[in-house]
Structure formats: C-alpha cells, structure tokens
Amino acid sequence: MTETNAGQRRGRHGPMSGRQAEAARNDQRILESARAVFVADPGAPITAVAKHAGVGISALYTRYGSKEELLRTLCTDGLQTFVNETEAAIERVRLGEDHWQVFAGFMRNLTDADTSSLTRAFAGKFAPTPGMFALANRSAELSEEFFGLIRDVLRPDLVLHDVSLVFELVAAIKFADPARTTELRHRYLALILDGIRADGRGDLPGPPPDWQEISERWNPN
C-alpha cells in the first residue's frame, strides 16, 4: 500500500463524504476478511478475500495491488497496535498505577487484539518494508522501557522474548465459538501469568474445556 493510500484508509480530519465513508467501510471489510482468510490459510488466493468480503476482485485490486500488500498492511496494523498498547501501559505506570495490574492488562489487551496470530501465519510470507522495520524497532524500544519499569513484579529470569512466545502460545488456542476461544485464551493466559509473576496467584477466568469441546475440533468442517 502506498503512503497516500494508507492515509486515505485511515481517514483525514473532518467528516467524510458518503462515497468516502462507503469506501472506508469496504476497505475495513476487505482487511477483516483478509485477516480471517489468511490466518486460517496463509496459502489462500486473494480471490478468496474478495469473496469473503463480498466485493468484486476489481474493487479489491483498486485498494491493494497484491496479496503481499494486503499481508504487509495487516502486519503493519498489528505492529501499530502493539506500539499503541505499550505506550498506553508505560503511561499508566508513570501515572502511578499498580505495576502488576498494568502488565496483566497489557497482556490481556494484546491477547484480545490477537496480533500474534498474524505473526504465526505470515512470518516469512512477504518482504517487510523499511517502515515496518522502523515500527518494529520502535516496538522493541518501548518493550524494553516498559519491562524496565515493571521488572519488580516479574520473575527475575523472565526475558522479553519469553513474552513474545507467550502471546503465540495463547494464540494457538482456537475453537469454533469465538466467544469460547476468547474465554479459554484468557484462562490459559492467567495460568501463564501466574508463572510469570514474582509472587501471588489469581483466580482463573472461565471454566476449563470439556471433552466435547476438545474432541469436536477433529470433526470435518
């Protein structure tokens, strides 16, 4: 996606015309569909995205010139989400909020954003742009700053890369029911957080999966 297109996709200051609003809705639908299609099957063709979004292939290509461009856009948005969440967490710490509550909230928010599913599905599938590398460097710098501020509530042998893989582990939990997926991801994130915390234990959210939930994943779709 060009810088001009990116700016158009995110909108400008002031109200949009009816045509611009419709274009923005179509663009959002395309991105949501691209995420759903490519996370489920990274090898899917771009035509599958158009079908999922309910738009013509020409409308899709007007906005995105290739599958790689779609993947880059999704991953750039994921990186920006991580940066925004980390900046917000740092601000909460600087305002004097409880370090553990800030960290746990940070982990839950990014689990819900599910940016790690993008990493699991798209790593190695496209060439990152210089802008993506810059954003990744920014996220790394912010992570170092954040963890330096809350180190007192974390086990001493925990490192940043441990947390990155925790997100990927939790993202691997996926059931047919999206609400149940969210509940179980939070349950196992809570288990992992108890292992990360320097001391104390918290209650696990949601009930554990039953046998039917475990076994039904093997049923053909």
Side-chain angles (χ1 to χ4, degrees):
M1 174 178 288
T2 65
E3 292 298 326
T4 300
N5 287 341
Q8 291 172 344
R9 182 170 67 79
R10 290 176 175 81
R12 296 192 178 101
H13 295 296
M16 292 187 292
S17 68
R19 180 176 294 181
Q20 288 173 324
E22 179 62 24
R25 286 192 293 270
N26 285 343
D27 191 56
Q28 186 61 32
R29 191 157 60 243
I30 287 169
L31 289 175
E32 290 172 355
S33 293
R35 179 176 179 132
V37 168
F38 293 143
V39 166
D41 179 10
I46 197 170
T47 52
V49 176
K51 180 178 180 181
H52 189 282
V55 301
I57 191 66
S58 60
L60 191 154
Y61 274 121
T62 297
R63 295 168 174 79
Y64 302 95
S66 66
K67 177 178 175 177
E68 272 205 0
E69 193 170 333
L70 264 173
L71 296 180
R72 280 194 293 267
T73 301
L74 290 170
C75 287
T76 298
D77 286 353
L79 280 169
Q80 189 62 59
T81 296
F82 186 91
V83 166
N84 293 345
E85 288 292 341
T86 312
E87 287 176 337
I90 290 171
E91 180 64 18
R92 290 178 62 194
V93 171
R94 295 200 182 282
L95 289 173
E97 294 189 34
D98 179 84
H99 288 187
W100 178 256
Q101 293 303 320
V102 173
F103 175 69
F106 167 83
M107 297 292 289
R108 286 191 294 268
N109 289 346
L110 283 173
T111 291
D112 287 343
D114 200 20
T115 56
S116 289
S117 284
L118 304 180
T119 302
R120 285 165 49 83
F122 303 157
K125 300 295 191 300
F126 63 90
T129 64
M132 292 182 70
F133 281 120
L135 200 55
N137 287 338
R138 175 63 176 157
S139 70
E141 291 168 358
L142 288 168
S143 294
E144 290 283 359
E145 180 181 357
F146 179 43
F147 276 69
L149 291 171
I150 61 167
R151 172 54 68 184
D152 60 309
V153 297
L154 305 177
R155 57 184 296 158
D157 54 352
L158 185 80
V159 300
L160 277 175
H161 295 313
D162 288 326
V163 175
S164 296
L165 290 182
V166 165
F167 285 127
E168 292 191 38
L169 288 169
V170 175
I173 300 169
K174 191 168 184 179
F175 287 73
D177 180 1
R180 186 61 171 139
T181 293
T182 296
E183 188 174 46
L184 285 171
R185 284 180 176 180
H186 278 271
R187 178 181 177 84
Y188 291 102
L189 176 62
L191 275 170
I192 293 170
L193 286 176
D194 271 351
I196 288 175
R197 191 172 184 174
D199 56 22
R201 294 291 182 269
D203 294 333
L204 295 178
D210 58 30
W211 172 245
Q212 182 178 349
E213 288 178 309
I214 292 293
S215 60
E216 70 184 6
R217 295 175 299 165
W218 294 95
N219 296 334
N221 294 323

